[in-house]
Amino acid sequence: TPSFLVELPKHVPGWDSRARSSREGRAVAISGPRKQRGATLRGCELSAEEGCLFEGEKDALVFYPPLELAATATIAVELKPRTLTKDERWLVATFGKGVKGESAHICILQTEGQQLLGLWDGDQEQWHPCEPECDIAPNNDRFVRIVAQIEQSQTSYYVDGVLVGCAAHAVHAPILGAGNVPLCDRPKASSRKQVVGWMRRLEVYSGLVYPQ
């Protein structure tokens, strides 16, 4: 059972499936421990079939307070990444706040015709790719389930239940949000403009959970 679970648009109270238009400041419910906790969906288009489209550069699902991560934890997201384009971009799935800036537990670096899975440490300002290299681009016409197992100093990644590799680093910051957040001017200044694509489910577990 997840410690925290968000399903979109199911967890958006009062959402009307006949209205797909974007609306600021939409409240989102979170399944989890019984204490005061909430989330806000900034911008974003909702669809009964596709979930939530993070399209605008400031579109994000923001949690208050952030979702805590255990010393070892598992994060799972179901997303359909943006269509591969020639520009260089960060596609951020989940992020937390560090001392210097945001760090991403699960993100994709779009560069040179690929969408590479890995993580970003905002305090070190360093990209840590999944090794061996994992290119998500061939799957961006459909939803994929990405699972990140976070341990002390490494993160293991699964895509659709298959172990694809590990990053020799881990981000332990509580999950502040999901969706589009500027990371850094890398590969170049325009790369700060983000579009991750569609997301319909986010799960957070205490401990290591292995895909079935």
Side-chain angles (χ1 to χ4, degrees), residues 13-89:
W15 177 71
D16 186 345
S17 61
R18 294 169 296 180
R20 289 181 50 137
S21 59
S22 173
R23 185 158 59 88
E24 288 294 325
R26 211 184 312 239
V28 178
I30 304 170
S31 296
R34 285 192 171 184
K35 66 179 185 178
Q36 190 170 1
R37 185 180 296 278
T40 300
L41 198 58
R42 299 197 305 239
C44 303
E45 179 180 315
L46 292 171
S47 161
E49 297 79 25
E50 304 277 67
C52 177
L53 175 61
F54 296 92
E55 185 174 38
E57 62 182 82
K58 294 183 179 180
D59 288 0
L61 173 63
V62 180
F63 300 105
Y64 50 88
L67 308 182
E68 303 91 353
L69 290 182
T72 57
T74 302
I75 302 172
V77 294
E78 291 182 12
L79 58 84
K80 182 163 72 172
R82 63 171 289 182
T83 302
L84 180 66
T85 55
K86 293 181 180 180
D87 55 353
E88 298 188 322
R89 291 284 186 267

